[in-house]
Amino acid sequence: MKKFLTMLLLLFPAMSAFAGTTQEQPSAESSGEETIFYRIRLDADIDKAAERLVSKGLEKAREAGADYIILDLDTYGGAVDAADSIRSAILQCPVPVIAYVNLQAASAGALISIACDSIYMKPGSSIGAATVVNQTGDVMPDKYQSFMRGMMRSTAQATGRDPEIAESMVDTVNVLSLTPEEAVEAGYCEGICSDIDAVAAMVLGGGSVSGTPAGEDGARDIPGYRIENMKLSWVEKLVQILLNPFLQSIFLMMIIGGIYVEIRTPGIGLPLATAVLGALLYFAPLYAENLAQNWEILLFVIGLILVGLEIFVFPGFGVSGITGIVAIVLALAFAMVDNDLLFNMEGEFDITPVLMPIGIVIVSAFVGLTGGVLLVKRLYTTRSFDYIALRKSLDEKDGYVGVQTVDEDMKGRLAKVFSDMMPSGRVICDGRIYEATMTYGFAVKGETVRVVRTGQGRLYCEKIA
């Protein structure tokens, strides 16, 4: 077991280092005057996976020495917290970010677009409709709309756009969506372009150009500039899959449920292995992506130790247990969040990015505990449970009795020695077996003794004179 845990701890930095060695190498400029446009394609719902995709793309663009980043958008929106994280990353990016609305930039997509330094739109596309709705499409209460309006307004102000227009996109009555022509007129679009090459040419002041065929690597060589497409290594693709919120929730349930079942059952078996596997699958991709820091993993381990002390050392439920639970929840939640996004542009701490991860951890923990309880309840009476954990019963027929069965009125009764008492052993009294101790001397099996007193589930006996 110690070897397995050691391998687990060594796997985190190893995976991180391996991921770093397999990343796409920055492309060298073909000439000193060539302008590099780095294209990030975002054509899915805005969630944690999209957040990591954009964050990774911004990092790769800086490593590649890109002069501009083009965020190729086609999305109907998604999670507000993920969109807020993407918005913050774009606002803090030192490289100019260009949003190219390639058909749709609705809801969270509109917020992301407004955070970019400039916006270009494809003919027939639209931007807006940022009203906050739930998963069924129903409009959320006004406090959610107020929060979204504030983000839209502040983002527009930060990028020099009309904040009232941005706020109108969140209106619950007459929600605003803009066509390319309307966006240009409102100052929310710098140009209407048919493709990425037209965007690059217009940014450089050359007007619209027809695109040239792409090479095998997806890049297009145009005189004066080059468009590079973002690529992910197989390790990064695997990490991207493991960072899916649904899978992360399953890993959390494996951790919490496995720990609970292991505590409730003796021995070291499948529940502990499940918890360790869940921790590996949860922390390894986060560590590889520089999300989970060393202090967060250490905080998780400390939390487990404190909970263990509360269960096995300190009776009841007190400071140790509560502190341990809080430490575990915070460690699991903070591990989901890029620490750079915990501080706004003014350097002030922002708890908002952590709220959703904390909720995910709490819900997953509840589901994991519930599942653990049901698993123990259903499997404990079956033979299958023997393959999950060590089971040992202390049955009354084997001579074991509970402390509560020893009554004070047994004083003065006669008992026969069941096993040698030197001075402790067991006796039979009224057909039942009890733990017993001689007050002085010893007795061998078969002798008769008298009970002189009882205490703590034990009979105290002496020989008959």
Side-chain angles (χ1 to χ4, degrees), residues 147-338:
F147 176 74
M148 188 66 173
R149 283 194 294 267
M151 279 202 301
M152 294 286 285
R153 185 171 57 251
S154 64
T155 304
Q157 291 173 341
T159 54
R161 298 185 174 91
D162 188 346
E164 294 185 0
I165 294 178
E167 188 174 354
S168 298
M169 294 181 180
V170 194
D171 196 320
T172 57
V173 180
N174 298 311
V175 61
L176 178 64
S177 292
L178 299 175
T179 65
E181 293 76 15
E182 292 171 340
V184 170
E185 183 179 354
Y188 269 67
C189 178
E190 276 69 31
I192 303 174
C193 304
S194 59
D195 57 23
I196 296 293
D197 291 305
V199 173
M202 186 170 288
V203 169
L204 296 178
S208 177
V209 298
S210 58
T212 59
E216 292 183 359
D217 61 351
R220 299 187 181 189
D221 291 304
I222 308 293
Y225 61 87
R226 175 179 177 84
I227 298 176
E228 293 188 3
N229 293 320
M230 177 185 177
K231 297 177 184 177
L232 295 176
S233 66
W234 71 268
V235 174
E236 292 170 332
K237 291 178 180 178
L238 175 61
V239 170
Q240 192 77 6
I241 294 174
L242 294 178
L243 287 176
N244 183 281
F246 177 74
L247 292 180
Q248 289 280 290
S249 299
I250 292 179
F251 301 152
L252 287 171
M253 288 185 279
M254 291 171 61
I255 296 172
I256 304 300
I259 292 174
Y260 172 79
V261 175
E262 186 64 32
I263 291 174
R264 296 291 297 172
T265 57
I268 298 177
L270 183 59
L272 180 59
T274 301
V276 172
L277 178 62
L280 172 64
L281 294 175
Y282 181 81
F283 280 109
L286 295 174
Y287 193 92
E289 286 294 291
N290 294 322
L291 284 176
Q293 304 296 320
N294 291 330
W295 69 268
E296 293 165 343
I297 298 176
L298 179 61
L299 182 63
F300 175 75
V301 174
I302 292 175
L304 291 179
I305 294 175
L306 290 175
V307 172
L309 289 175
E310 184 69 26
I311 294 174
F312 299 108
V313 179
F314 306 121
F317 190 76
V319 177
S320 177
I322 296 175
T323 305
I325 292 174
V326 172
I328 291 174
V329 171
L330 291 179
L332 294 173
F334 275 97
M336 291 187 185
V337 182
D338 189 342

Side-chain angles (χ1 to χ4, degrees), residues 11 28 41 50-51 97 101 124 126 129 173 177 218 284 316 337 350 353 370 424 442 457:
L11 182 59
R41 176 63 172 166
E51 175 188 338
V97 182
V101 182
S126 65
V173 180
S177 292
V337 182
D350 184 10
T370 303
S424 297
F442 61 90

Side-chain angles (χ1 to χ4, degrees), residues 74-112:
D74 184 13
T75 178
Y76 288 97
V80 175
D81 63 321
D84 184 32
S85 298
I86 295 175
R87 173 192 78 108
S88 300
I90 292 174
L91 289 175
Q92 298 174 24
C93 182
V95 181
V97 182
I98 302 166
Y100 177 52
V101 182
N102 193 347
L103 288 185
Q104 302 297 336
S107 191
L111 175 64
I112 295 172

